[in-house]
Structures are given as structure tokens and as C-alpha cells.
Amino acid sequence: MERKKFLICIDSDGCAIDTMEQKHKKCFAPLMVEKWHLEGCREEAEEIWNRISLYSMDRGINRFKGLEMALNECMSRGYLREDLTEFSRWLKETDVYSNGSLEKRLGETKDPVLKKILDWSITSNQAIASLPPSKAFEGVRETLETMSVYGDLAVVSSANREAVEAEWNRHGLIGFVKEVMAQDSGSKTGCIARLMAEGGYDGDHVLMIGDAPGDQKAAEKNGALFFPAVIRREKESWTRLREEGFARFLAGTYRGEYENERKKEFLEALQ
Ligand SMILES: [Mg+2]
């Protein structure tokens, strides 16, 4: 495949596509309440889920890791008793946080909690699939179009592959990207590393766009640059990238003061 000099990695959920709030508030959180019979403290349990996955430094965390945190907090508040030993062991040992990997471990251990977690994850996928169509944030299309002239674009997401590809197709954005890396491709850090190794891009020629601290970390671990979609200011962020940040990226003046300002603004919005 012919490569350009620049690589731009784009997170999907909550960054390019406005899906985070709906997925968490209408699917993951209420289904956790349902599966663990937390109806008696629904409001508190959903608040725990949403705070962890949407409004904290853990925003964008993988669903399984988020579930471990949320269930542990529910237990420490006395809402629930559950033995998470096998689940925590799987989280530590697995390379890929996916239903397939969890199912494999369930086959080996027959642990009833793993079974419940797999059910919750599958039911969540079904619920997400029947949500009303999501929208791309305003400005995304124009920005992707501009960037695709100068660089290779790749989706780097930790969400379910079918969902990501369906969304990018539906919004007519898939044509701008060369590759889609999703939950089944491994960690974002690993995905960026692989793309960089395959294409031989220099760190200063790689930009990761994301809405979560984990996206920033994945960029930094690879020596790549980071541009944040600031929460609740997504449209403004995409416009800024198109009109200002991307030119700096191409010119080699992105790293340093400019990037630090973007990161500062991003983290302040998450506190
Ligand atoms: Mg995201």
C-alpha cells in the first residue's frame, strides 16, 4: 500500500462520533443495574458507572476494566456482593479485552461471574445496536477530508469492530481512512505502534486524536503527538484542528507549547 509521510490516528467513540453519552447512560449503566440486581440503588450505581466512564480521568476506559471498577465501588458501598477473582485474573492476563477472549476463558473456568459479565457485554452490544443512529460531531467530515489529502488516516478505537465500521460507513467517513483498528486489534498503544512500524512514520509525523486520557497516553508511549477533542467542546476542537492544529502538525511546529496548551485545556475539562 502506498504510504504518505504523515499518519493520523482517530479515536471513534466520543471523539469523531457522538456515541459516548448514549452508550453509557442508556446501555452499559442500566444493564449493569439489571444484571447485578442493583435496582434498589439504581441512581447511585448508574452515577458510579457514568462518572468512571464519562467524566473522570478514566473516560474511555475499556468496558470490562470500567465494570471491574464500578462493581468494586458498588461492593465497597455495600450495594452488592460478588466474587471478582476470576474476572480480575482474566483482566490481568488477557491480551485483548473482547467478548471472544472472555468467552474462551469462561470455557476454561466455567466461572458463573464470567458468564454474567459475558451476558452483560453481549446484551450491551445488542442495546447499542438498537440505539437511534448516532451522529458524527460537527466539523469531523471536513477535517478528515482535509487531513486525508496530506496523511494516512486510521481509526484507532477500543470499541467493538462491527459497531465502529457500521458507524463510519453510515456517516460516509470510512472512505477517508486506510485502516480500522478496533477492540479485536489490541490496545491503542499497540495499534499505534504497529501502524508506525508498518509505515515507518517518524514520531513527529504521527498525530493521535482522542477524547480520553488513555488516547493521550497511547500517543505519548509511542512518541506521537496528541490532539484532544475536548469534552462538551467537540465541534470547536475539530474546527481548531482543521484551521490551526493540522497546519502546525504538517509544519513541524505542533510539539511543545502548542501541544501542551491543548493537553492542559483537555485535562481541565475532565476534572
Ligand atoms: Mg473515545
Side-chain angles (χ1 to χ4, degrees), residues 128-160:
I128 289 165
S130 56
L131 281 173
S134 58
K135 289 199 171 101
F137 285 110
E138 262 185 83
V140 168
R141 165 176 264 287
E142 297 86 334
T143 308
L144 295 185
E145 196 170 4
T146 301
M147 295 192 305
S148 69
V149 176
Y150 301 92
D152 298 322
L153 271 49
V155 179
V156 174
S157 164
S158 57
N160 168 273

PDB file of all heavy atoms in Angstrom, residues 128-160:
ATOM      1  N   ILE A 128     -26.783  -1.333  22.192  1.00  0.00           N
ATOM      2  CA  ILE A 128     -26.103  -0.259  21.450  1.00  0.00           C
ATOM      3  C   ILE A 128     -26.530  -0.299  19.977  1.00  0.00           C
ATOM      4  O   ILE A 128     -26.785   0.739  19.364  1.00  0.00           O
ATOM      5  CB  ILE A 128     -24.571  -0.391  21.602  1.00  0.00           C
ATOM      6  CG1 ILE A 128     -24.151  -0.020  23.029  1.00  0.00           C
ATOM      7  CG2 ILE A 128     -23.834   0.495  20.586  1.00  0.00           C
ATOM      8  CD1 ILE A 128     -22.746  -0.452  23.413  1.00  0.00           C
ATOM      9  N   ALA A 129     -26.656  -1.529  19.449  1.00  0.00           N
ATOM     10  CA  ALA A 129     -27.042  -1.670  18.040  1.00  0.00           C
ATOM     11  C   ALA A 129     -28.455  -1.152  17.779  1.00  0.00           C
ATOM     12  O   ALA A 129     -28.767  -0.753  16.657  1.00  0.00           O
ATOM     13  CB  ALA A 129     -26.922  -3.132  17.612  1.00  0.00           C
ATOM     14  N   SER A 130     -29.293  -1.144  18.816  1.00  0.00           N
ATOM     15  CA  SER A 130     -30.652  -0.665  18.566  1.00  0.00           C
ATOM     16  C   SER A 130     -30.885   0.766  19.047  1.00  0.00           C
ATOM     17  O   SER A 130     -32.015   1.249  19.093  1.00  0.00           O
ATOM     18  CB  SER A 130     -31.680  -1.632  19.175  1.00  0.00           C
ATOM     19  OG  SER A 130     -31.420  -1.786  20.539  1.00  0.00           O
ATOM     20  N   LEU A 131     -29.807   1.458  19.393  1.00  0.00           N
ATOM     21  CA  LEU A 131     -29.930   2.885  19.736  1.00  0.00           C
ATOM     22  C   LEU A 131     -30.287   3.668  18.470  1.00  0.00           C
ATOM     23  O   LEU A 131     -29.961   3.243  17.357  1.00  0.00           O
ATOM     24  CB  LEU A 131     -28.599   3.427  20.264  1.00  0.00           C
ATOM     25  CG  LEU A 131     -28.213   3.123  21.707  1.00  0.00           C
ATOM     26  CD1 LEU A 131     -26.777   3.597  21.957  1.00  0.00           C
ATOM     27  CD2 LEU A 131     -29.155   3.787  22.694  1.00  0.00           C
ATOM     28  N   PRO A 132     -30.912   4.833  18.633  1.00  0.00           N
ATOM     29  CA  PRO A 132     -31.128   5.661  17.447  1.00  0.00           C
ATOM     30  C   PRO A 132     -29.780   6.013  16.809  1.00  0.00           C
ATOM     31  O   PRO A 132     -28.767   6.080  17.520  1.00  0.00           O
ATOM     32  CB  PRO A 132     -31.816   6.912  18.001  1.00  0.00           C
ATOM     33  CG  PRO A 132     -31.751   6.828  19.483  1.00  0.00           C
ATOM     34  CD  PRO A 132     -31.419   5.426  19.865  1.00  0.00           C
ATOM     35  N   PRO A 133     -29.737   6.200  15.501  1.00  0.00           N
ATOM     36  CA  PRO A 133     -28.452   6.443  14.829  1.00  0.00           C
ATOM     37  C   PRO A 133     -27.667   7.581  15.478  1.00  0.00           C
ATOM     38  O   PRO A 133     -28.235   8.615  15.802  1.00  0.00           O
ATOM     39  CB  PRO A 133     -28.867   6.835  13.408  1.00  0.00           C
ATOM     40  CG  PRO A 133     -30.254   6.327  13.249  1.00  0.00           C
ATOM     41  CD  PRO A 133     -30.876   6.267  14.603  1.00  0.00           C
ATOM     42  N   SER A 134     -26.386   7.332  15.662  1.00  0.00           N
ATOM     43  CA  SER A 134     -25.525   8.357  16.248  1.00  0.00           C
ATOM     44  C   SER A 134     -25.151   9.369  15.175  1.00  0.00           C
ATOM     45  O   SER A 134     -25.341   9.125  13.987  1.00  0.00           O
ATOM     46  CB  SER A 134     -24.259   7.686  16.757  1.00  0.00           C
ATOM     47  OG  SER A 134     -23.635   7.016  15.679  1.00  0.00           O
ATOM     48  N   LYS A 135     -24.589  10.474  15.622  1.00  0.00           N
ATOM     49  CA  LYS A 135     -24.124  11.485  14.668  1.00  0.00           C
ATOM     50  C   LYS A 135     -22.620  11.652  14.794  1.00  0.00           C
ATOM     51  O   LYS A 135     -22.070  11.471  15.876  1.00  0.00           O
ATOM     52  CB  LYS A 135     -24.789  12.830  14.986  1.00  0.00           C
ATOM     53  CG  LYS A 135     -26.272  12.881  14.668  1.00  0.00           C
ATOM     54  CD  LYS A 135     -26.692  14.347  14.561  1.00  0.00           C
ATOM     55  CE  LYS A 135     -28.101  14.487  14.036  1.00  0.00           C
ATOM     56  NZ  LYS A 135     -29.092  14.742  15.072  1.00  0.00           N
ATOM     57  N   ALA A 136     -21.998  12.025  13.691  1.00  0.00           N
ATOM     58  CA  ALA A 136     -20.600  12.451  13.791  1.00  0.00           C
ATOM     59  C   ALA A 136     -20.636  13.871  14.346  1.00  0.00           C
ATOM     60  O   ALA A 136     -21.572  14.624  14.075  1.00  0.00           O
ATOM     61  CB  ALA A 136     -19.948  12.435  12.421  1.00  0.00           C
ATOM     62  N   PHE A 137     -19.638  14.235  15.137  1.00  0.00           N
ATOM     63  CA  PHE A 137     -19.584  15.613  15.637  1.00  0.00           C
ATOM     64  C   PHE A 137     -19.430  16.558  14.453  1.00  0.00           C
ATOM     65  O   PHE A 137     -18.816  16.218  13.427  1.00  0.00           O
ATOM     66  CB  PHE A 137     -18.410  15.794  16.606  1.00  0.00           C
ATOM     67  CG  PHE A 137     -18.659  15.183  17.956  1.00  0.00           C
ATOM     68  CD1 PHE A 137     -17.964  14.051  18.358  1.00  0.00           C
ATOM     69  CD2 PHE A 137     -19.590  15.733  18.828  1.00  0.00           C
ATOM     70  CE1 PHE A 137     -18.198  13.468  19.606  1.00  0.00           C
ATOM     71  CE2 PHE A 137     -19.829  15.159  20.076  1.00  0.00           C
ATOM     72  CZ  PHE A 137     -19.132  14.033  20.468  1.00  0.00           C
ATOM     73  N   GLU A 138     -19.987  17.743  14.611  1.00  0.00           N
ATOM     74  CA  GLU A 138     -19.871  18.744  13.546  1.00  0.00           C
ATOM     75  C   GLU A 138     -18.407  19.057  13.275  1.00  0.00           C
ATOM     76  O   GLU A 138     -17.625  19.200  14.213  1.00  0.00           O
ATOM     77  CB  GLU A 138     -20.580  20.033  13.988  1.00  0.00           C
ATOM     78  CG  GLU A 138     -21.979  20.171  13.428  1.00  0.00           C
ATOM     79  CD  GLU A 138     -22.554  21.515  13.801  1.00  0.00           C
ATOM     80  OE1 GLU A 138     -22.259  22.505  13.097  1.00  0.00           O
ATOM     81  OE2 GLU A 138     -23.287  21.562  14.812  1.00  0.00           O
ATOM     82  N   GLY A 139     -18.061  19.152  12.033  1.00  0.00           N
ATOM     83  CA  GLY A 139     -16.695  19.503  11.668  1.00  0.00           C
ATOM     84  C   GLY A 139     -15.793  18.306  11.414  1.00  0.00           C
ATOM     85  O   GLY A 139     -14.704  18.455  10.857  1.00  0.00           O
ATOM     86  N   VAL A 140     -16.250  17.128  11.804  1.00  0.00           N
ATOM     87  CA  VAL A 140     -15.399  15.949  11.642  1.00  0.00           C
ATOM     88  C   VAL A 140     -15.144  15.652  10.158  1.00  0.00           C
ATOM     89  O   VAL A 140     -13.998  15.468   9.732  1.00  0.00           O
ATOM     90  CB  VAL A 140     -16.038  14.706  12.321  1.00  0.00           C
ATOM     91  CG1 VAL A 140     -15.322  13.431  11.920  1.00  0.00           C
ATOM     92  CG2 VAL A 140     -16.015  14.870  13.836  1.00  0.00           C
ATOM     93  N   ARG A 141     -16.222  15.622   9.399  1.00  0.00           N
ATOM     94  CA  ARG A 141     -16.099  15.256   7.988  1.00  0.00           C
ATOM     95  C   ARG A 141     -15.115  16.183   7.243  1.00  0.00           C
ATOM     96  O   ARG A 141     -14.195  15.717   6.594  1.00  0.00           O
ATOM     97  CB  ARG A 141     -17.488  15.318   7.325  1.00  0.00           C
ATOM     98  CG  ARG A 141     -17.471  15.319   5.834  1.00  0.00           C
ATOM     99  CD  ARG A 141     -18.867  15.289   5.276  1.00  0.00           C
ATOM    100  NE  ARG A 141     -19.266  13.940   4.943  1.00  0.00           N
ATOM    101  CZ  ARG A 141     -18.789  13.252   3.894  1.00  0.00           C
ATOM    102  NH1 ARG A 141     -17.892  13.769   3.104  1.00  0.00           N
ATOM    103  NH2 ARG A 141     -19.194  12.045   3.638  1.00  0.00           N
ATOM    104  N   GLU A 142     -15.304  17.479   7.411  1.00  0.00           N
ATOM    105  CA  GLU A 142     -14.449  18.447   6.720  1.00  0.00           C
ATOM    106  C   GLU A 142     -12.987  18.267   7.143  1.00  0.00           C
ATOM    107  O   GLU A 142     -12.069  18.366   6.327  1.00  0.00           O
ATOM    108  CB  GLU A 142     -14.881  19.891   7.025  1.00  0.00           C
ATOM    109  CG  GLU A 142     -16.275  20.239   6.548  1.00  0.00           C
ATOM    110  CD  GLU A 142     -17.380  19.859   7.558  1.00  0.00           C
ATOM    111  OE1 GLU A 142     -17.162  18.924   8.372  1.00  0.00           O
ATOM    112  OE2 GLU A 142     -18.446  20.485   7.507  1.00  0.00           O
ATOM    113  N   THR A 143     -12.806  18.032   8.429  1.00  0.00           N
ATOM    114  CA  THR A 143     -11.437  17.900   8.935  1.00  0.00           C
ATOM    115  C   THR A 143     -10.785  16.613   8.413  1.00  0.00           C
ATOM    116  O   THR A 143      -9.624  16.635   7.982  1.00  0.00           O
ATOM    117  CB  THR A 143     -11.431  17.919  10.486  1.00  0.00           C
ATOM    118  OG1 THR A 143     -12.147  19.075  10.919  1.00  0.00           O
ATOM    119  CG2 THR A 143     -10.015  17.976  11.033  1.00  0.00           C
ATOM    120  N   LEU A 144     -11.536  15.524   8.411  1.00  0.00           N
ATOM    121  CA  LEU A 144     -10.980  14.264   7.887  1.00  0.00           C
ATOM    122  C   LEU A 144     -10.640  14.424   6.408  1.00  0.00           C
ATOM    123  O   LEU A 144      -9.595  13.944   5.938  1.00  0.00           O
ATOM    124  CB  LEU A 144     -11.976  13.110   8.058  1.00  0.00           C
ATOM    125  CG  LEU A 144     -12.332  12.675   9.480  1.00  0.00           C
ATOM    126  CD1 LEU A 144     -13.234  11.441   9.447  1.00  0.00           C
ATOM    127  CD2 LEU A 144     -11.087  12.388  10.312  1.00  0.00           C
ATOM    128  N   GLU A 145     -11.515  15.094   5.698  1.00  0.00           N
ATOM    129  CA  GLU A 145     -11.297  15.287   4.262  1.00  0.00           C
ATOM    130  C   GLU A 145      -9.993  16.061   4.015  1.00  0.00           C
ATOM    131  O   GLU A 145      -9.158  15.642   3.206  1.00  0.00           O
ATOM    132  CB  GLU A 145     -12.492  16.045   3.669  1.00  0.00           C
ATOM    133  CG  GLU A 145     -12.563  15.953   2.177  1.00  0.00           C
ATOM    134  CD  GLU A 145     -13.877  16.507   1.633  1.00  0.00           C
ATOM    135  OE1 GLU A 145     -14.704  17.042   2.410  1.00  0.00           O
ATOM    136  OE2 GLU A 145     -14.052  16.417   0.411  1.00  0.00           O
ATOM    137  N   THR A 146      -9.815  17.138   4.748  1.00  0.00           N
ATOM    138  CA  THR A 146      -8.602  17.942   4.619  1.00  0.00           C
ATOM    139  C   THR A 146      -7.362  17.110   4.967  1.00  0.00           C
ATOM    140  O   THR A 146      -6.373  17.085   4.234  1.00  0.00           O
ATOM    141  CB  THR A 146      -8.655  19.157   5.580  1.00  0.00           C
ATOM    142  OG1 THR A 146      -9.804  19.930   5.244  1.00  0.00           O
ATOM    143  CG2 THR A 146      -7.402  20.008   5.484  1.00  0.00           C
ATOM    144  N   MET A 147      -7.440  16.409   6.084  1.00  0.00           N
ATOM    145  CA  MET A 147      -6.272  15.671   6.556  1.00  0.00           C
ATOM    146  C   MET A 147      -5.910  14.518   5.616  1.00  0.00           C
ATOM    147  O   MET A 147      -4.742  14.180   5.461  1.00  0.00           O
ATOM    148  CB  MET A 147      -6.520  15.128   7.972  1.00  0.00           C
ATOM    149  CG  MET A 147      -6.684  16.229   9.016  1.00  0.00           C
ATOM    150  SD  MET A 147      -6.632  15.627  10.747  1.00  0.00           S
ATOM    151  CE  MET A 147      -7.915  14.395  10.735  1.00  0.00           C
ATOM    152  N   SER A 148      -6.937  13.930   4.998  1.00  0.00           N
ATOM    153  CA  SER A 148      -6.678  12.756   4.149  1.00  0.00           C
ATOM    154  C   SER A 148      -5.882  13.114   2.890  1.00  0.00           C
ATOM    155  O   SER A 148      -5.302  12.238   2.251  1.00  0.00           O
ATOM    156  CB  SER A 148      -7.986  12.062   3.778  1.00  0.00           C
ATOM    157  OG  SER A 148      -8.735  12.865   2.903  1.00  0.00           O
ATOM    158  N   VAL A 149      -5.853  14.397   2.547  1.00  0.00           N
ATOM    159  CA  VAL A 149      -5.055  14.830   1.401  1.00  0.00           C
ATOM    160  C   VAL A 149      -3.560  14.694   1.704  1.00  0.00           C
ATOM    161  O   VAL A 149      -2.761  14.349   0.841  1.00  0.00           O
ATOM    162  CB  VAL A 149      -5.389  16.306   1.032  1.00  0.00           C
ATOM    163  CG1 VAL A 149      -4.494  16.819  -0.090  1.00  0.00           C
ATOM    164  CG2 VAL A 149      -6.868  16.447   0.676  1.00  0.00           C
ATOM    165  N   TYR A 150      -3.216  14.943   2.988  1.00  0.00           N
ATOM    166  CA  TYR A 150      -1.798  15.001   3.364  1.00  0.00           C
ATOM    167  C   TYR A 150      -1.288  13.773   4.104  1.00  0.00           C
ATOM    168  O   TYR A 150      -0.090  13.543   4.187  1.00  0.00           O
ATOM    169  CB  TYR A 150      -1.551  16.228   4.258  1.00  0.00           C
ATOM    170  CG  TYR A 150      -1.927  17.516   3.600  1.00  0.00           C
ATOM    171  CD1 TYR A 150      -3.203  18.061   3.758  1.00  0.00           C
ATOM    172  CD2 TYR A 150      -1.009  18.197   2.787  1.00  0.00           C
ATOM    173  CE1 TYR A 150      -3.557  19.253   3.145  1.00  0.00           C
ATOM    174  CE2 TYR A 150      -1.353  19.382   2.176  1.00  0.00           C
ATOM    175  CZ  TYR A 150      -2.630  19.902   2.350  1.00  0.00           C
ATOM    176  OH  TYR A 150      -2.968  21.069   1.730  1.00  0.00           O
ATOM    177  N   GLY A 151      -2.217  13.021   4.693  1.00  0.00           N
ATOM    178  CA  GLY A 151      -1.759  11.923   5.547  1.00  0.00           C
ATOM    179  C   GLY A 151      -2.585  10.664   5.392  1.00  0.00           C
ATOM    180  O   GLY A 151      -3.642  10.664   4.758  1.00  0.00           O
ATOM    181  N   ASP A 152      -2.050   9.581   5.970  1.00  0.00           N
ATOM    182  CA  ASP A 152      -2.797   8.325   6.045  1.00  0.00           C
ATOM    183  C   ASP A 152      -3.637   8.360   7.316  1.00  0.00           C
ATOM    184  O   ASP A 152      -3.108   8.626   8.394  1.00  0.00           O
ATOM    185  CB  ASP A 152      -1.822   7.145   6.102  1.00  0.00           C
ATOM    186  CG  ASP A 152      -0.957   7.060   4.845  1.00  0.00           C
ATOM    187  OD1 ASP A 152      -1.487   7.334   3.749  1.00  0.00           O
ATOM    188  OD2 ASP A 152       0.241   6.737   4.970  1.00  0.00           O
ATOM    189  N   LEU A 153      -4.913   8.081   7.177  1.00  0.00           N
ATOM    190  CA  LEU A 153      -5.810   8.118   8.320  1.00  0.00           C
ATOM    191  C   LEU A 153      -6.160   6.697   8.768  1.00  0.00           C
ATOM    192  O   LEU A 153      -6.405   5.823   7.930  1.00  0.00           O
ATOM    193  CB  LEU A 153      -7.112   8.852   7.959  1.00  0.00           C
ATOM    194  CG  LEU A 153      -7.154  10.372   8.170  1.00  0.00           C
ATOM    195  CD1 LEU A 153      -5.953  11.075   7.565  1.00  0.00           C
ATOM    196  CD2 LEU A 153      -8.452  10.963   7.644  1.00  0.00           C
ATOM    197  N   ALA A 154      -6.178   6.505  10.088  1.00  0.00           N
ATOM    198  CA  ALA A 154      -6.574   5.202  10.631  1.00  0.00           C
ATOM    199  C   ALA A 154      -7.478   5.424  11.839  1.00  0.00           C
ATOM    200  O   ALA A 154      -7.218   6.297  12.663  1.00  0.00           O
ATOM    201  CB  ALA A 154      -5.349   4.399  11.056  1.00  0.00           C
ATOM    202  N   VAL A 155      -8.550   4.663  11.927  1.00  0.00           N
ATOM    203  CA  VAL A 155      -9.371   4.678  13.131  1.00  0.00           C
ATOM    204  C   VAL A 155      -8.664   3.794  14.159  1.00  0.00           C
ATOM    205  O   VAL A 155      -8.270   2.668  13.843  1.00  0.00           O
ATOM    206  CB  VAL A 155     -10.783   4.116  12.865  1.00  0.00           C
ATOM    207  CG1 VAL A 155     -11.611   4.117  14.150  1.00  0.00           C
ATOM    208  CG2 VAL A 155     -11.489   4.896  11.770  1.00  0.00           C
ATOM    209  N   VAL A 156      -8.471   4.319  15.362  1.00  0.00           N
ATOM    210  CA  VAL A 156      -7.886   3.527  16.439  1.00  0.00           C
ATOM    211  C   VAL A 156      -8.865   3.592  17.613  1.00  0.00           C
ATOM    212  O   VAL A 156      -8.938   4.591  18.314  1.00  0.00           O
ATOM    213  CB  VAL A 156      -6.488   4.055  16.838  1.00  0.00           C
ATOM    214  CG1 VAL A 156      -5.968   3.308  18.064  1.00  0.00           C
ATOM    215  CG2 VAL A 156      -5.508   3.885  15.679  1.00  0.00           C
ATOM    216  N   SER A 157      -9.632   2.534  17.749  1.00  0.00           N
ATOM    217  CA  SER A 157     -10.729   2.533  18.711  1.00  0.00           C
ATOM    218  C   SER A 157     -10.672   1.281  19.566  1.00  0.00           C
ATOM    219  O   SER A 157     -10.193   0.240  19.122  1.00  0.00           O
ATOM    220  CB  SER A 157     -12.044   2.571  17.943  1.00  0.00           C
ATOM    221  OG  SER A 157     -13.120   2.211  18.778  1.00  0.00           O
ATOM    222  N   SER A 158     -11.179   1.368  20.794  1.00  0.00           N
ATOM    223  CA  SER A 158     -11.246   0.157  21.622  1.00  0.00           C
ATOM    224  C   SER A 158     -12.664  -0.393  21.630  1.00  0.00           C
ATOM    225  O   SER A 158     -12.992  -1.283  22.403  1.00  0.00           O
ATOM    226  CB  SER A 158     -10.749   0.437  23.037  1.00  0.00           C
ATOM    227  OG  SER A 158     -11.495   1.473  23.597  1.00  0.00           O
ATOM    228  N   ALA A 159     -13.507   0.130  20.761  1.00  0.00           N
ATOM    229  CA  ALA A 159     -14.892  -0.352  20.698  1.00  0.00           C
ATOM    230  C   ALA A 159     -14.990  -1.566  19.780  1.00  0.00           C
ATOM    231  O   ALA A 159     -14.069  -1.896  19.034  1.00  0.00           O
ATOM    232  CB  ALA A 159     -15.808   0.763  20.221  1.00  0.00           C
ATOM    233  N   ASN A 160     -16.131  -2.177  19.838  1.00  0.00           N
ATOM    234  CA  ASN A 160     -16.465  -3.338  19.039  1.00  0.00           C
ATOM    235  C   ASN A 160     -16.355  -3.015  17.536  1.00  0.00           C
ATOM    236  O   ASN A 160     -16.873  -2.012  17.070  1.00  0.00           O
ATOM    237  CB  ASN A 160     -17.897  -3.676  19.469  1.00  0.00           C
ATOM    238  CG  ASN A 160     -18.579  -4.662  18.611  1.00  0.00           C
ATOM    239  OD1 ASN A 160     -19.186  -4.293  17.621  1.00  0.00           O
ATOM    240  ND2 ASN A 160     -18.485  -5.902  18.978  1.00  0.00           N
TER     241      ASN A 160
END
